[in-house]
Amino acid sequence: MTSTLSPLPGTAIAGSWRMHNADAESADGRLAAFAILSRPTANTIALIGTGFYLQPKGGFATAAHVAMEAERLLAETPDSVGIAHTLKDGRSVFLPIWKFFTHKTADVAFGIPRYELVNDSAETALRTKVLSLTSQAPSIGSSISTWAYPLHQVTDDGSGGQVLQLQPDFYDGILHELYEER
């Protein structure tokens, strides 16, 4: 049984933020953004970052510092870092990450999963919810939000393993500064 943790200050009011994906559909953030996890052993798990899909087959963006930590962990234990992909029914699956391409100066990276997600019953590839981006920067003072996992918990499962409880949400903010270089 999982319990819901109390929201943090700054949590966006339910329904106040919506994501629009590349199909011009309003999307639940759980289907477009995801946790990046480390599973160094079959019984241990940890949250290392957040990413969001840029391509229907699973290509994604994350922070460069997350990608560098993931690459360090992958060098020690291949297939130990992956995406916690949430299915439409709310279940999550672990999708190992194959490779990262990290920007040399900006804190951004592009990642590629090792496998495509497949619908077992229809044996067809699942199309991820892709966020559409714009190159137009928001103005200083604009309302912004982040999709994050600050309320996650790792608990023992009672049989020597661990369970990760993810409770992502939108968090409100205001853009105070914008660094266009580096």
Side-chain angles (χ1 to χ4, degrees):
M1 182 173 115
T2 61
S3 61
T4 301
L5 302 170
S6 299
L8 295 175
T11 303
I13 296 169
S16 65
W17 291 99
R18 295 299 296 164
M19 293 180 169
H20 290 278
N21 63 28
D23 295 327
E25 297 171 336
S26 187
D28 181 336
R30 296 176 312 142
L31 304 178
F34 50 82
I36 298 174
L37 307 175
S38 168
R39 284 192 344 188
T41 71
N43 295 326
T44 58
I45 192 161
L47 175 69
I48 62 172
T50 304
F52 60 92
Y53 293 114
L54 293 174
Q55 295 181 323
K57 290 186 177 185
F60 64 92
T62 190
H65 66 272
V66 171
M68 289 186 282
E69 174 65 8
E71 287 175 322
R72 184 186 69 74
L73 295 166
L74 287 168
E76 293 172 8
T77 310
D79 289 341
S80 64
V81 177
I83 294 167
H85 178 79
T86 303
L87 302 170
K88 286 183 180 183
D89 65 6
R91 291 180 301 137
S92 292
V93 295
F94 182 83
L95 183 61
I97 295 171
W98 172 62
K99 187 162 180 70
F100 287 97
F101 298 91
T102 305
H103 195 278
K104 292 180 189 210
T105 58
D107 190 23
V108 66
F110 180 77
I112 302 171
R114 180 164 300 283
Y115 312 105
E116 260 187 289
L117 279 170
V118 176
N119 178 342
D120 290 335
S121 61
E123 295 185 8
T124 59
L126 293 174
R127 186 170 180 215
T128 62
K129 292 295 183 186
V130 176
L131 294 183
S132 55
L133 303 176
T134 179
S135 60
Q136 183 178 356
S139 59
I140 302 298
S142 295
S143 294
I144 57 173
S145 70
T146 186
W147 178 255
Y149 299 87
L151 298 176
H152 75 283
Q153 288 184 333
V154 177
T155 57
D156 292 331
D157 71 0
S159 64
Q162 295 179 326
V163 174
L164 177 64
Q165 177 187 351
L166 296 172
Q167 188 174 314
D169 211 338
F170 283 107
Y171 292 86
D172 287 334
I174 301 290
L175 182 63
H176 292 284
E177 290 185 76
L178 179 64
Y179 300 97
E180 294 185 27
E181 302 276 330
R182 184 114 164 102

